[in-house]
Amino acid sequence: MGDDSELPSTKDVLGEHLFTKVCLTEPKRAEQITGVLLGASNDVILHMLQDKQFLTSQITGVKRVLGECSNNRGRGRLPSGNENHDDRLGEELFERVKEVEAHLAAKVTGMILELDSDTIKFLLISPDDLKEAVARSIRTLNESERKPGAISPEIGEELYTLVEQKHPESAAAITGMLLEMDASSLQKLLQESELLDHKIEEALRVLKPT
């Protein structure tokens, strides 16, 4: 009798083995933790399966990241106040990006924050994948710098410093949004404090909708 079902992919097979190993130490959260770990490349997953210490460190990292919002979660739902978690995620991402590329940290963080939250959580516990994401962002920035009106890294850093003085808890996310503006508009923001305040409030309304 023929079987029209598709053969499992390599990721599916690795996922089953990974789930079994995660169950040994975290049976209650195995499915959730495995789901985050499967965001890694196949090579990294194979490393987890072969190296118990490495797998343990990855599980610990996932638990730490997921634990930041565990107190605010209902049964599968996030409350309306989850923007505070998003702020913490953005600030933690900024600190990690700064360790990899301090000069362009604000701009790169803003670019990476456009990814979905699960991907960002994985990047926070996978240094190699974060470095790759930072490198891709920098390549994109380098390409854009060849275009007229490109934004210099110095503008980004100066803007971040000003935003951090007003809203340190959301500085990375706000700066990332503002850096989507053209260079001349950003220069104007740096020169006019009231205009900068207005744009910051607009960004906050997007980040924290009522």
Side-chain angles (χ1 to χ4, degrees), residues 25-179:
T25 56
E26 296 293 333
K28 293 183 179 180
R29 305 183 69 182
E31 184 174 353
Q32 186 180 24
I33 292 172
T34 303
V36 176
L37 293 177
L38 284 174
S41 65
N42 288 350
D43 287 342
V44 173
I45 295 173
L46 281 170
H47 188 188
M48 294 183 206
L49 294 174
Q50 295 167 356
D51 188 330
K52 183 177 180 181
Q53 185 175 356
F54 179 65
L55 174 60
T56 300
S57 69
Q58 295 300 294
I59 291 175
T60 300
V62 172
K63 287 170 60 181
R64 179 178 55 77
V65 174
L66 294 178
E68 290 182 356
C69 59
S70 61
N71 293 332
N72 293 326
R73 284 186 182 273
R75 294 183 178 273
R77 296 181 179 179
L78 280 172
S80 59
N82 67 312
E83 63 273 5
N84 291 328
H85 168 66
D86 293 337
D87 289 342
R88 291 197 300 273
L89 199 62
E91 292 309 309
E92 183 173 356
L93 178 64
F94 175 76
E95 292 302 321
R96 298 294 181 85
V97 170
K98 191 164 63 173
E99 293 174 2
V100 178
E101 173 53 61
H103 195 50
L104 299 171
K107 181 64 174 177
V108 170
T109 300
M111 295 173 70
I112 296 177
L113 282 173
E114 295 178 5
L115 300 172
D116 63 87
S117 60
D118 285 341
T119 300
I120 294 172
K121 289 174 184 176
F122 175 73
L123 292 176
L124 289 174
I125 62 167
S126 180
D128 289 341
D129 288 280
L130 178 60
K131 288 179 182 177
E132 184 179 342
V134 170
R136 285 198 301 268
S137 298
I138 291 174
R139 284 196 295 270
T140 301
L141 288 172
N142 288 337
E143 291 174 2
S144 67
E145 284 180 358
R146 300 189 188 103
K147 301 175 182 178
I151 300 168
S152 69
E154 289 76 13
I155 290 179
E157 294 305 314
E158 184 177 354
L159 182 62
Y160 177 81
T161 299
L162 292 174
V163 174
E164 187 180 33
Q165 293 172 359
K166 301 172 184 292
H167 295 279
E169 75 287 349
S170 305
I174 293 172
T175 303
M177 294 179 67
L178 295 180
L179 285 173

